Amino acid sequence: MKDTVKKMLIERGVKIEDIAKLVYFLQSKYYAITLEECISSVNRVLEKREVQNAILTGIALDILAEEDKLDEPLLSILKRDEPLYGIDEIMALSITNIYGSIGLTNFGYLDKVKIGVLKSLNVKGPQVHTFLDDLVAGIAAAASARIAHSKSG
Ligand code: MG
């Protein structure tokens, strides 16, 4: 299952290293960490069943929208990535919630700054990344919270 989810992310243009770089961006201000540590934290987050379920569901919906295989009005909402839709963020919260309020704070911050791979996912093109951008921010936020908990505990 973990390998399936990793493969799906890669096929949608997101490498584990891309997510780890977001973690590094968030945590290197506070702790002496390496990109390797960030990569392993991302991998640990991807082992959680709740995380895998969110990724499977979100990416499936992105692909269905891309292939025009959803009914209206959902199809247009997802294709336009309407800001008031909000279910994409809610789905990402099922990832960040695992690590408590630090995860939530990190997610909110990443959603604002949109750096690295999040920036490229937000460029409008033929691909639909309505769910993927929030999933990636959610995974990075959770992996950051894991590091914060382990360094302070
Ligand atoms: Mg989104």
Side-chain angles (χ1 to χ4, degrees), residues 55-71:
I55 296 169
L56 285 176
T57 310
I59 291 181
L61 286 166
D62 276 349
I63 294 173
L64 286 170
E66 216 166 273
E67 295 175 347
D68 290 328
K69 286 179 180 161
L70 294 168
D71 291 331

PDB file of all heavy atoms in Angstrom, residues 55-71:
ATOM      1  N   ILE A  55      -4.596  10.082   0.419  1.00  0.00           N
ATOM      2  CA  ILE A  55      -3.885  10.222  -0.861  1.00  0.00           C
ATOM      3  C   ILE A  55      -4.627   9.473  -1.970  1.00  0.00           C
ATOM      4  O   ILE A  55      -4.842  10.008  -3.069  1.00  0.00           O
ATOM      5  CB  ILE A  55      -2.425   9.721  -0.739  1.00  0.00           C
ATOM      6  CG1 ILE A  55      -1.653  10.603   0.255  1.00  0.00           C
ATOM      7  CG2 ILE A  55      -1.722   9.706  -2.087  1.00  0.00           C
ATOM      8  CD1 ILE A  55      -0.295  10.032   0.650  1.00  0.00           C
ATOM      9  N   LEU A  56      -5.032   8.236  -1.680  1.00  0.00           N
ATOM     10  CA  LEU A  56      -5.763   7.434  -2.678  1.00  0.00           C
ATOM     11  C   LEU A  56      -7.019   8.159  -3.150  1.00  0.00           C
ATOM     12  O   LEU A  56      -7.293   8.238  -4.352  1.00  0.00           O
ATOM     13  CB  LEU A  56      -6.213   6.098  -2.069  1.00  0.00           C
ATOM     14  CG  LEU A  56      -5.182   5.002  -1.845  1.00  0.00           C
ATOM     15  CD1 LEU A  56      -5.843   3.816  -1.151  1.00  0.00           C
ATOM     16  CD2 LEU A  56      -4.577   4.573  -3.172  1.00  0.00           C
ATOM     17  N   THR A  57      -7.752   8.707  -2.198  1.00  0.00           N
ATOM     18  CA  THR A  57      -9.030   9.349  -2.511  1.00  0.00           C
ATOM     19  C   THR A  57      -8.829  10.664  -3.258  1.00  0.00           C
ATOM     20  O   THR A  57      -9.478  10.914  -4.283  1.00  0.00           O
ATOM     21  CB  THR A  57      -9.822   9.611  -1.205  1.00  0.00           C
ATOM     22  OG1 THR A  57      -9.865   8.404  -0.444  1.00  0.00           O
ATOM     23  CG2 THR A  57     -11.224  10.074  -1.500  1.00  0.00           C
ATOM     24  N   GLY A  58      -7.922  11.486  -2.764  1.00  0.00           N
ATOM     25  CA  GLY A  58      -7.714  12.804  -3.363  1.00  0.00           C
ATOM     26  C   GLY A  58      -7.182  12.722  -4.777  1.00  0.00           C
ATOM     27  O   GLY A  58      -7.686  13.397  -5.682  1.00  0.00           O
ATOM     28  N   ILE A  59      -6.184  11.871  -4.984  1.00  0.00           N
ATOM     29  CA  ILE A  59      -5.600  11.757  -6.326  1.00  0.00           C
ATOM     30  C   ILE A  59      -6.627  11.156  -7.291  1.00  0.00           C
ATOM     31  O   ILE A  59      -6.723  11.576  -8.451  1.00  0.00           O
ATOM     32  CB  ILE A  59      -4.277  10.947  -6.296  1.00  0.00           C
ATOM     33  CG1 ILE A  59      -3.198  11.768  -5.575  1.00  0.00           C
ATOM     34  CG2 ILE A  59      -3.818  10.587  -7.707  1.00  0.00           C
ATOM     35  CD1 ILE A  59      -1.835  11.097  -5.506  1.00  0.00           C
ATOM     36  N   ALA A  60      -7.418  10.202  -6.825  1.00  0.00           N
ATOM     37  CA  ALA A  60      -8.451   9.613  -7.691  1.00  0.00           C
ATOM     38  C   ALA A  60      -9.430  10.690  -8.171  1.00  0.00           C
ATOM     39  O   ALA A  60      -9.794  10.728  -9.350  1.00  0.00           O
ATOM     40  CB  ALA A  60      -9.196   8.505  -6.949  1.00  0.00           C
ATOM     41  N   LEU A  61      -9.820  11.573  -7.270  1.00  0.00           N
ATOM     42  CA  LEU A  61     -10.758  12.645  -7.646  1.00  0.00           C
ATOM     43  C   LEU A  61     -10.116  13.634  -8.624  1.00  0.00           C
ATOM     44  O   LEU A  61     -10.755  14.081  -9.580  1.00  0.00           O
ATOM     45  CB  LEU A  61     -11.275  13.361  -6.394  1.00  0.00           C
ATOM     46  CG  LEU A  61     -12.292  12.564  -5.574  1.00  0.00           C
ATOM     47  CD1 LEU A  61     -12.488  13.174  -4.195  1.00  0.00           C
ATOM     48  CD2 LEU A  61     -13.634  12.481  -6.317  1.00  0.00           C
ATOM     49  N   ASP A  62      -8.839  13.965  -8.393  1.00  0.00           N
ATOM     50  CA  ASP A  62      -8.114  14.846  -9.329  1.00  0.00           C
ATOM     51  C   ASP A  62      -8.116  14.234 -10.736  1.00  0.00           C
ATOM     52  O   ASP A  62      -8.376  14.924 -11.728  1.00  0.00           O
ATOM     53  CB  ASP A  62      -6.651  15.019  -8.880  1.00  0.00           C
ATOM     54  CG  ASP A  62      -6.473  16.105  -7.817  1.00  0.00           C
ATOM     55  OD1 ASP A  62      -7.428  16.867  -7.564  1.00  0.00           O
ATOM     56  OD2 ASP A  62      -5.369  16.187  -7.241  1.00  0.00           O
ATOM     57  N   ILE A  63      -7.814  12.939 -10.805  1.00  0.00           N
ATOM     58  CA  ILE A  63      -7.724  12.272 -12.116  1.00  0.00           C
ATOM     59  C   ILE A  63      -9.105  12.193 -12.787  1.00  0.00           C
ATOM     60  O   ILE A  63      -9.241  12.454 -13.991  1.00  0.00           O
ATOM     61  CB  ILE A  63      -7.091  10.861 -11.971  1.00  0.00           C
ATOM     62  CG1 ILE A  63      -5.623  11.001 -11.528  1.00  0.00           C
ATOM     63  CG2 ILE A  63      -7.172  10.081 -13.284  1.00  0.00           C
ATOM     64  CD1 ILE A  63      -4.943   9.682 -11.181  1.00  0.00           C
ATOM     65  N   LEU A  64     -10.131  11.874 -12.007  1.00  0.00           N
ATOM     66  CA  LEU A  64     -11.491  11.808 -12.572  1.00  0.00           C
ATOM     67  C   LEU A  64     -11.896  13.173 -13.147  1.00  0.00           C
ATOM     68  O   LEU A  64     -12.502  13.242 -14.221  1.00  0.00           O
ATOM     69  CB  LEU A  64     -12.495  11.365 -11.505  1.00  0.00           C
ATOM     70  CG  LEU A  64     -12.448   9.874 -11.120  1.00  0.00           C
ATOM     71  CD1 LEU A  64     -13.307   9.614  -9.886  1.00  0.00           C
ATOM     72  CD2 LEU A  64     -12.905   9.003 -12.279  1.00  0.00           C
ATOM     73  N   ALA A  65     -11.542  14.244 -12.432  1.00  0.00           N
ATOM     74  CA  ALA A  65     -11.871  15.589 -12.911  1.00  0.00           C
ATOM     75  C   ALA A  65     -11.106  15.893 -14.201  1.00  0.00           C
ATOM     76  O   ALA A  65     -11.661  16.429 -15.166  1.00  0.00           O
ATOM     77  CB  ALA A  65     -11.536  16.620 -11.833  1.00  0.00           C
ATOM     78  N   GLU A  66      -9.848  15.518 -14.207  1.00  0.00           N
ATOM     79  CA  GLU A  66      -9.004  15.747 -15.384  1.00  0.00           C
ATOM     80  C   GLU A  66      -9.573  15.057 -16.617  1.00  0.00           C
ATOM     81  O   GLU A  66      -9.499  15.560 -17.730  1.00  0.00           O
ATOM     82  CB  GLU A  66      -7.644  15.130 -15.062  1.00  0.00           C
ATOM     83  CG  GLU A  66      -6.452  15.840 -15.570  1.00  0.00           C
ATOM     84  CD  GLU A  66      -5.228  15.264 -14.866  1.00  0.00           C
ATOM     85  OE1 GLU A  66      -4.905  15.748 -13.774  1.00  0.00           O
ATOM     86  OE2 GLU A  66      -4.624  14.318 -15.400  1.00  0.00           O
ATOM     87  N   GLU A  67     -10.146  13.855 -16.407  1.00  0.00           N
ATOM     88  CA  GLU A  67     -10.672  13.054 -17.522  1.00  0.00           C
ATOM     89  C   GLU A  67     -12.162  13.325 -17.768  1.00  0.00           C
ATOM     90  O   GLU A  67     -12.811  12.569 -18.501  1.00  0.00           O
ATOM     91  CB  GLU A  67     -10.435  11.561 -17.224  1.00  0.00           C
ATOM     92  CG  GLU A  67      -8.946  11.214 -17.169  1.00  0.00           C
ATOM     93  CD  GLU A  67      -8.674   9.769 -16.746  1.00  0.00           C
ATOM     94  OE1 GLU A  67      -9.620   9.100 -16.254  1.00  0.00           O
ATOM     95  OE2 GLU A  67      -7.528   9.325 -16.905  1.00  0.00           O
ATOM     96  N   ASP A  68     -12.699  14.379 -17.164  1.00  0.00           N
ATOM     97  CA  ASP A  68     -14.116  14.755 -17.315  1.00  0.00           C
ATOM     98  C   ASP A  68     -15.067  13.635 -16.919  1.00  0.00           C
ATOM     99  O   ASP A  68     -16.150  13.488 -17.521  1.00  0.00           O
ATOM    100  CB  ASP A  68     -14.405  15.187 -18.766  1.00  0.00           C
ATOM    101  CG  ASP A  68     -13.760  16.520 -19.099  1.00  0.00           C
ATOM    102  OD1 ASP A  68     -13.641  17.372 -18.188  1.00  0.00           O
ATOM    103  OD2 ASP A  68     -13.367  16.703 -20.269  1.00  0.00           O
ATOM    104  N   LYS A  69     -14.681  12.839 -15.941  1.00  0.00           N
ATOM    105  CA  LYS A  69     -15.503  11.683 -15.573  1.00  0.00           C
ATOM    106  C   LYS A  69     -16.354  11.917 -14.321  1.00  0.00           C
ATOM    107  O   LYS A  69     -16.799  10.970 -13.696  1.00  0.00           O
ATOM    108  CB  LYS A  69     -14.609  10.455 -15.376  1.00  0.00           C
ATOM    109  CG  LYS A  69     -14.108   9.886 -16.693  1.00  0.00           C
ATOM    110  CD  LYS A  69     -13.210   8.688 -16.476  1.00  0.00           C
ATOM    111  CE  LYS A  69     -12.734   8.149 -17.828  1.00  0.00           C
ATOM    112  NZ  LYS A  69     -11.540   7.310 -17.669  1.00  0.00           N
ATOM    113  N   LEU A  70     -16.548  13.178 -13.952  1.00  0.00           N
ATOM    114  CA  LEU A  70     -17.432  13.485 -12.826  1.00  0.00           C
ATOM    115  C   LEU A  70     -18.611  14.282 -13.347  1.00  0.00           C
ATOM    116  O   LEU A  70     -18.525  14.932 -14.384  1.00  0.00           O
ATOM    117  CB  LEU A  70     -16.674  14.293 -11.760  1.00  0.00           C
ATOM    118  CG  LEU A  70     -15.539  13.582 -11.029  1.00  0.00           C
ATOM    119  CD1 LEU A  70     -14.708  14.591 -10.248  1.00  0.00           C
ATOM    120  CD2 LEU A  70     -16.070  12.504 -10.101  1.00  0.00           C
ATOM    121  N   ASP A  71     -19.711  14.230 -12.602  1.00  0.00           N
ATOM    122  CA  ASP A  71     -20.894  15.004 -12.992  1.00  0.00           C
ATOM    123  C   ASP A  71     -20.750  16.450 -12.544  1.00  0.00           C
ATOM    124  O   ASP A  71     -20.013  16.760 -11.608  1.00  0.00           O
ATOM    125  CB  ASP A  71     -22.149  14.390 -12.356  1.00  0.00           C
ATOM    126  CG  ASP A  71     -22.476  13.031 -12.958  1.00  0.00           C
ATOM    127  OD1 ASP A  71     -22.138  12.821 -14.150  1.00  0.00           O
ATOM    128  OD2 ASP A  71     -23.046  12.188 -12.249  1.00  0.00           O
TER     129      ASP A  71
END
